[in-house]
Amino acid sequence: MRARRTGATRTRRTRRRLRLPAWTATLTWKSAVFITVMCCLLAALLGVLVHTAVTRQTVGHAREKALSRLEGVTAAYEAGEALPPRSGIDPPGLPAALRALAVGGERGTMVADHLGRPTMWAAAPADGHALATQVDYGQSARTINGLDGAIVGSSLLAIGATLLVGAFSVTRVTRRLHQTARVARRIGAGDLDARVDDPRTADPSRRQDEVAIVAGALDTMASTLQRKLVAEQRFTADVAHELRTPLTGLSAAAELLPPGRPSELVQDRVRAMRALTEDLLEISRLDARTEQVDLDVHELAPLAERVAARLPGPATEVRVAPGGPPVRVETDKRRLERVLGNLIGNAHRHGRPPVLLTVDGPVVTVRDHGEGFPDYLVAGGPQRFRTEGGAKGHGLGLTIAAGQAEVMGAELTFENAPDGGAVARLTLPEYVRLDHGGEEPPHSPAGT
């Protein structure tokens, strides 16, 4: 019970943690915060320095004036003359600290409020008493307060101007970074013609900053990758075309061999080579992106059942989700049959029975009960000529299925079931009927 309560408490604490909005992680936001903090620190430092210097100068001037006046008052007191106005022996309002200093035999000055006004006091010893005089300090105080207000106002203005200039500069940089990121995503999606084309990289005479260097490196990488892939695609297509003619002759010659086990082995290998050659040709066409889609409307469940029934080898169990009207999808029938055939065939070859084909709405799922897909395939999709775990094959069937699904506009995902087995899920674009006067657009009936 304690362990459960502790886990629940941790879960509540995790939920209560404040999560900042996503935009606070952007470079623009971080730069704005950094510029603001630095401007505030700089303005505070300069303000303190200016305030201290001006205050010291103003107080020093008022002190000199008060001491000069105190000398005149002292001379009048020693001569027995009448003291000037705002002077006297132990006058009311004299700060106690300054009176104690004067009674102790020393002269001094001090700023204090007297009758609600700032006053500079000066005091000197006089027969065991304090002889003091006062000078109006109001103008000096107003000067210092005005200076403080000017410092605050100018600091705010400087911070605002710096933020505007900084935001403009940072926005230009982040805009170029976003452009580079968009091009990188397009390249990752297969658009190898995408380029950043930063103007700083096109002109060698211009100095390049870090963003331009990254953009140039990305363009160079894309160009190199495109050349290599084009060369690979051309090589694959050329090899497949060159193999087609001799394999046709070899297949005809194998049919003329006398019946027997050697003849069956030769014919089986020739058929395997012809199938591999056709797969290579299909992959080369998919790589060239020259495939044309023949879209039509079909009922999904009967079509999937016919594909499973026509395939040779072990039987495939077909399940259709009950309830609801028949689901129709808008797709290329030939390509859909090719995708489903490859998925079912792969499940029988590399998995363990039973192999289940489930139709649930516009989603078709093919599942076996084997060891599941390799981690690289689940993470990044199928890769041609790559297999793991001692499996036989060339990885072309799933590669073709993924390519044909993309051509049809369908989504094909690969995952492993929690209780074991590989799961391939094909999601097709569902056909939505638009009623116009009760008529329905023509479509291919199921079974054509």
Side-chain angles (χ1 to χ4, degrees):
M1 292 298 292
R2 290 183 179 178
R4 292 180 181 177
R5 290 176 181 175
T6 302
T9 304
R10 290 178 180 174
T11 303
R12 294 192 193 99
R13 290 177 180 175
T14 303
R15 292 177 179 175
R16 291 174 183 174
R17 288 178 182 174
L18 180 62
R19 298 187 63 182
L20 297 177
W23 52 266
T24 58
T26 60
L27 182 60
T28 303
W29 165 254
K30 293 179 179 178
S31 301
V33 172
F34 176 76
I35 292 174
T36 303
V37 171
M38 294 305 297
C39 286
C40 291
L41 291 177
L42 183 60
L45 178 61
L46 292 178
V48 169
L49 293 177
V50 173
H51 172 83
T52 302
V54 173
T55 301
R56 184 183 295 114
Q57 182 180 4
T58 304
V59 171
H61 180 72
R63 179 178 291 111
E64 292 177 358
K65 184 178 180 181
L67 290 175
S68 176
R69 180 180 176 84
L70 180 60
E71 290 179 358
V73 172
T74 302
Y77 175 76
E78 292 176 350
E81 299 177 357
L83 298 180
R86 307 182 68 180
S87 303
I89 300 295
D90 296 329
L94 179 65
L98 186 58
R99 176 182 287 106
L101 182 67
V103 171
E106 297 182 11
R107 293 199 313 170
T109 58
M110 186 176 183
V111 177
D113 287 339
H114 179 58
L115 301 179
R117 296 175 59 85
T119 303
M120 173 64 77
W121 289 91
D127 299 329
H129 296 278
L131 178 62
T133 185
Q134 53 179 306
V135 177
D136 185 21
Y137 191 72
Q139 182 62 36
S140 300
R142 286 191 293 271
T143 301
I144 294 176
N145 292 335
L147 176 64
D148 292 341
I151 291 175
V152 173
S154 60
S155 298
L156 294 177
L157 183 62
I159 291 173
T162 306
L163 274 177
L164 291 177
V165 175
F168 174 75
S169 302
V170 173
T171 302
R172 292 187 61 186
V173 175
T174 55
R175 187 184 301 118
R176 294 166 59 197
L177 288 175
H178 285 307
Q179 171 66 15
T180 304
R182 283 193 296 269
V183 172
R185 284 191 290 267
R186 288 173 56 189
I187 294 173
D191 184 8
L192 298 181
D193 293 325
R195 298 291 185 274
V196 181
D197 291 331
D198 195 297
R200 291 169 178 78
T201 61
D203 187 1
S205 62
R206 298 183 63 179
R207 294 184 178 180
Q208 297 187 9
D209 56 9
E210 288 77 2
V211 180
I213 293 174
V214 173
L218 180 63
D219 289 347
T220 302
M221 180 200 69
S223 300
T224 304
L225 181 62
Q226 186 178 35
R227 287 195 298 268
K228 290 183 177 180
L229 289 180
V230 169
E232 179 186 345
Q233 294 168 8
R234 187 180 297 113
F235 174 77
T236 303
D238 292 344
V239 168
H241 280 290
E242 292 298 328
L243 287 176
R244 209 172 188 182
T245 301
L247 281 176
T248 302
L250 185 60
S251 177
E255 296 293 334
L256 301 177
L257 294 176
R261 182 59 179 170
S263 176
E264 293 177 359
L265 292 176
V266 171
Q267 292 174 4
D268 180 68
R269 292 299 87 195
V270 170
R271 283 194 295 268
M273 290 187 65
R274 291 192 64 179
L276 177 59
T277 302
E278 294 299 327
D279 287 346
L280 290 175
L281 285 172
E282 187 170 357
I283 286 179
S284 65
R285 290 193 296 268
L286 291 172
D287 289 339
R289 299 181 181 272
T290 58
E291 295 287 293
Q292 299 295 326
V293 185
D294 184 16
L295 295 179
D296 209 338
V297 180
H298 305 274
E299 287 190 13
L300 181 58
L303 192 151
E305 291 174 345
R306 287 193 302 274
V307 172
R310 284 202 305 261
L311 291 177
T316 302
E317 182 179 350
V318 180
R319 298 177 181 176
V320 180
V327 176
R328 294 175 177 174
V329 293
E330 188 173 11
T331 187
D332 188 321
K333 177 185 175 183
R334 180 183 64 84
R335 299 182 191 278
L336 177 57
E337 291 176 345
R338 174 70 159 153
V339 172
L340 294 180
N342 283 13
L343 295 179
I344 296 173
N346 183 82
H348 282 294
R349 282 193 301 271
H350 304 293
R352 286 196 295 266
V355 175
L356 305 178
L357 186 147
T358 305
V359 180
D360 186 2
V363 181
V364 182
T365 304
V366 178
R367 177 190 174 177
D368 61 52
H369 291 76
E371 298 179 356
F373 290 120
D375 293 337
Y376 79 88
L377 194 149
V378 175
Q383 300 179 20
R384 63 192 73 174
F385 301 111
R386 179 177 178 180
T387 56
E388 290 185 0
K392 297 180 180 180
H394 307 286
L396 299 181
L398 294 182
T399 303
I400 292 174
Q404 294 289 12
E406 181 181 359
V407 172
M408 293 187 302
E411 181 184 4
L412 179 59
T413 58
F414 302 93
E415 60 188 37
N416 291 322
D419 56 345
V423 180
R425 184 172 289 104
L426 179 68
T427 305
L428 296 159
E430 186 174 1
Y431 172 73
V432 179
R433 176 179 174 180
L434 300 177
D435 292 328
H436 296 284
E439 298 182 358
E440 183 179 350
H443 62 276
S444 298
T448 61

